[in-house]
Amino acid sequence: MLEITSTPLVIIGILGTVGILLPIISIARKEQGSNTFYAIIAFAALIVSMGYVGYQFLEENVSPSALFAEDVVVDDAFGGFFAIAMLIVALFTTVGSFNYMRKHNSPAVYYSLILLATIGMVLVAYSTDLVMLFVAWELMSIPTYILVGFRKKNPSSNEAALKYFLFGALSSAIIVYGISLAYGLTGSTNIGEVIQGYSTLDPSMLPLALLSVGLFIAGFGFKMGLVPFHQWLPDTYEGAPAPITALLAAATKKAGFAATIRIVILGMVVLHLDWTLALGIIAVMTMTIGNIAAIMQKNISRMLAYSSIAHAGYILIGLAVAPHSSLGLQGSLYQIMNHAVMKGAAFIAIAGIVTTLAVTHIDKLKGLGRRMPVTALGLVIALFALAGVPPLSGFWSKLMLFGSALDAGTALWWAPWLAIAGVLNSALSLAYYGWLTRKMYFEGETEKRVIEPKSVMAIMIISTIFLVGFGVYPEPLIKFVELATPVLSLGSMP
């Protein structure tokens, strides 16, 4: 039985209360409250929530690794790890919206939707029941559909929201079908009991079990942006409000990975399924298609959207080899935390550029290093960290990911080729990251400095400290990853 002080319940209480109150306050004040007023309240709620997650870790009140339980949610280190990553991105999005929302109406509804979506993302990571996971999934998805189309009079935003909603509804239907099969085969929706039930299935029922696992991969693959479930992503990122792209790229993708690890990867282990090659092929396709498409983009939001697809492929390397290397899941979790900061900072930098200069075409970014020096520097550091350039934090997570593929080479002959594909794709990504850096620093001679949004500058400074600090001294973050990594065995089943 969960205690009232457990992390998921406290986060629901804090973010849910504030998220519901913000529109009510707006109605009571007849929208007299300024954008800053609502933003500060949302920011405070996220800070308190993150502080509580950190407090629970410091007091050792969480289970040391991902466990299954009879309750619908469990307060474990795995869920806490994802909660911190998602709350960081939600904070980035909220702070990055300070200036952006000054030009738009309904700030109370906007920040309320961010908080409600964050509850859904966090609950996905903590869920140990398929029905609870689906409810959390929808709580995450529905507010983001609205946020993507928040600029109602903008045709591009409307198109992005429609594409996102249609693909999202399809993915939800696929997940529900997978849940129905799992319940029909095992008589339970508890994830631990479902996985145990799968391990003792009659051989004649195994095809249906395989189908349910495949449906989960397809449904979650939509949010993760895996090929071939990625078609919605570039258009949605281009048309969404600039700060919301950070929430989509750096946070909602993580919910997909959290669900995949809890259900699919652990299910693979107990079912003794050889899905590793299929996941490896998807990883290579996702990395390669994402990077090649990114090189051809002229819009910076679309470029980083395809880059985000490529990074889903990197993370999938660790999941593909997880049953054969202890470094697999660790590398994936490490990359997930780094990616939350790297991609979140990059998209918030774009939000600052859009708010200040109203440009997104890469050719219009000439001389950005002189016009917006702090934003440009933060963006470049985030991009180089995404490419895995030392001594930034992204280097170590990619090293662990590619090392896990090499480590699995004794059991999987093709695993080292995953590492080679990852290294080649990382080198390929430097082509467009370097091109963007060249535009910002080595082209354009007459540009004058403009006033940068202070909120965006703050995020650039914080993200730079994170990426450089944990790049120079990665030990604390690596230990945190080791604590949160689940044990791939039946020993943790209820």
Side-chain angles (χ1 to χ4, degrees):
M1 188 70 181
L2 277 178
E3 298 180 1
I4 195 67
T5 57
S6 66
T7 309
L9 296 185
V10 170
I11 291 177
I12 292 173
I14 297 171
L15 299 185
T17 301
V18 176
I20 292 171
L21 284 178
L22 283 180
I24 296 175
I25 294 171
S26 173
I27 294 170
R29 295 168 64 98
K30 296 182 180 178
E31 201 63 84
Q32 294 299 311
S34 66
N35 162 63
T36 306
F37 172 77
Y38 299 113
I40 289 175
I41 294 176
F43 176 79
L46 291 167
I47 284 289
V48 171
S49 298
M50 184 179 292
Y52 191 80
V53 178
Y55 169 79
Q56 291 289 82
F57 273 105
L58 291 175
E59 292 295 311
E60 299 182 352
N61 292 332
V62 296
S63 304
S65 62
L67 302 173
F68 298 101
E70 296 179 358
D71 295 306
V72 294
V73 293
V74 62
D75 188 1
D76 62 0
F78 177 81
F81 180 89
F82 275 89
I84 288 177
M86 295 164 181
L87 287 168
I88 287 173
V89 179
L91 276 168
F92 279 12
T93 303
T94 302
V95 174
S97 300
F98 282 5
N99 288 77
Y100 183 86
M101 284 304 295
R102 286 175 182 169
K103 301 177 182 178
H104 297 84
N105 298 323
S106 305
V109 174
Y110 177 87
Y111 292 112
S112 173
L113 290 170
I114 290 175
L115 296 181
L116 296 177
T118 304
I119 294 175
M121 290 185 282
V122 170
L123 281 182
V124 167
Y126 282 114
S127 294
T128 55
D129 186 272
L130 292 174
V131 173
M132 182 66 214
L133 187 146
F134 180 73
V135 170
W137 188 269
E138 291 302 290
L139 179 56
M140 167 187 68
S141 299
I142 293 173
T144 56
Y145 299 153
I146 302 169
L147 286 168
V148 169
F150 202 77
R151 298 180 296 165
K152 294 182 290 185
K153 297 180 180 180
N154 186 303
S156 178
S157 183
N158 292 335
E159 180 188 353
L162 184 60
K163 286 183 178 179
Y164 184 31
F165 169 73
L166 290 175
F167 277 98
L170 177 61
S171 76
S172 295
I174 291 171
I175 292 170
V176 168
Y177 191 21
I179 292 173
S180 67
L181 287 177
Y183 179 74
L185 290 170
T186 63
S188 174
T189 58
N190 180 279
I191 294 174
E193 292 178 4
V194 167
I195 292 176
Q196 274 193 324
Y198 276 6
S199 66
T200 57
L201 271 182
D202 185 274
S204 63
M205 294 290 103
L206 191 58
L208 286 177
L210 292 171
L211 176 60
S212 69
V213 173
L215 290 170
F216 284 130
I217 292 174
F220 300 142
F222 161 80
K223 271 292 187 291
M224 292 186 284
L226 302 178
V227 172
F229 314 111
H230 67 291
Q231 296 96 330
W232 63 276
L233 199 144
D235 291 334
T236 299
Y237 286 14
E238 183 181 11
I244 298 304
T245 55
L247 192 71
L248 297 176
T252 59
K253 290 173 73 76
K254 308 303 178 291
F257 280 107
T260 299
I261 292 171
R262 265 209 206 272
I263 299 175
V264 178
I265 303 304
L266 291 170
M268 281 169 51
V269 174
V270 299
L271 280 171
H272 304 293
L273 300 177
D274 192 14
W275 281 77
T276 52
L277 180 57
L279 293 180
I281 292 171
I282 295 173
V284 174
M285 289 173 57
T286 303
M287 284 186 290
T288 307
I289 291 174
N291 281 319
I292 291 175
I295 291 176
M296 297 184 286
Q297 302 307 310
K298 300 296 183 182
N299 181 289
I300 188 171
S301 294
R302 292 183 69 87
M303 175 186 285
L304 289 184
Y306 280 109
S307 165
S308 186
I309 292 170
H311 275 267
Y314 298 136
I315 296 170
L316 199 60
I317 289 176
L319 303 189
V321 302
H324 303 282
S325 173
S326 60
L327 292 175
L329 276 185
Q330 291 181 24
S332 291
L333 292 187
Y334 198 177
Q335 181 71 5
I336 282 169
M337 179 62 77
N338 280 334
H339 186 263
V341 177
M342 298 183 295
K343 192 64 74 172
F347 274 111
I348 293 302
I350 294 173
I353 295 167
V354 170
T355 303
T356 307
L357 304 177
V359 298
T360 55
H361 197 283
I362 291 173
D363 287 337
K364 300 289 185 181
L365 300 179
K366 293 179 180 178
L368 188 71
R370 284 178 291 278
R371 302 181 76 182
M372 301 177 67
V374 177
T375 303
L377 179 61
L379 176 57
V380 167
I381 289 175
L383 294 178
F384 283 174
L386 285 166
V389 175
L392 302 175
S393 185
F395 167 77
W396 295 108
S397 55
K398 282 195 173 181
L399 183 65
M400 186 177 290
L401 273 175
F402 302 156
S404 69
L406 295 175
D407 183 51
T410 54
L412 305 170
W413 65 266
W414 47 264
W417 290 100
L418 279 182
I420 294 172
V423 171
L424 292 176
N425 272 280
S426 294
L428 183 61
S429 69
L430 276 172
Y432 54 91
Y433 293 148
W435 179 44
L436 189 56
T437 303
R438 179 174 175 269
K439 291 284 184 184
M440 292 191 291
Y441 283 96
F442 301 103
E443 294 185 15
E445 301 293 338
T446 60
E447 289 77 7
K448 295 182 180 179
R449 183 169 182 176
V450 298
I451 298 175
E452 301 177 71
K454 290 184 175 59
S455 57
V456 174
M457 291 171 64
I459 293 174
M460 295 302 101
I461 292 169
I462 291 170
S463 63
T464 298
I465 292 172
F466 179 98
L467 296 174
V468 175
F470 285 117
V472 174
Y473 183 58
E475 189 65 22
L477 192 52
I478 291 175
K479 287 185 177 180
F480 186 34
V481 168
E482 291 174 349
L483 174 67
T485 303
V487 179
L488 296 181
S489 70
L490 287 172
S492 58
M493 298 290 180

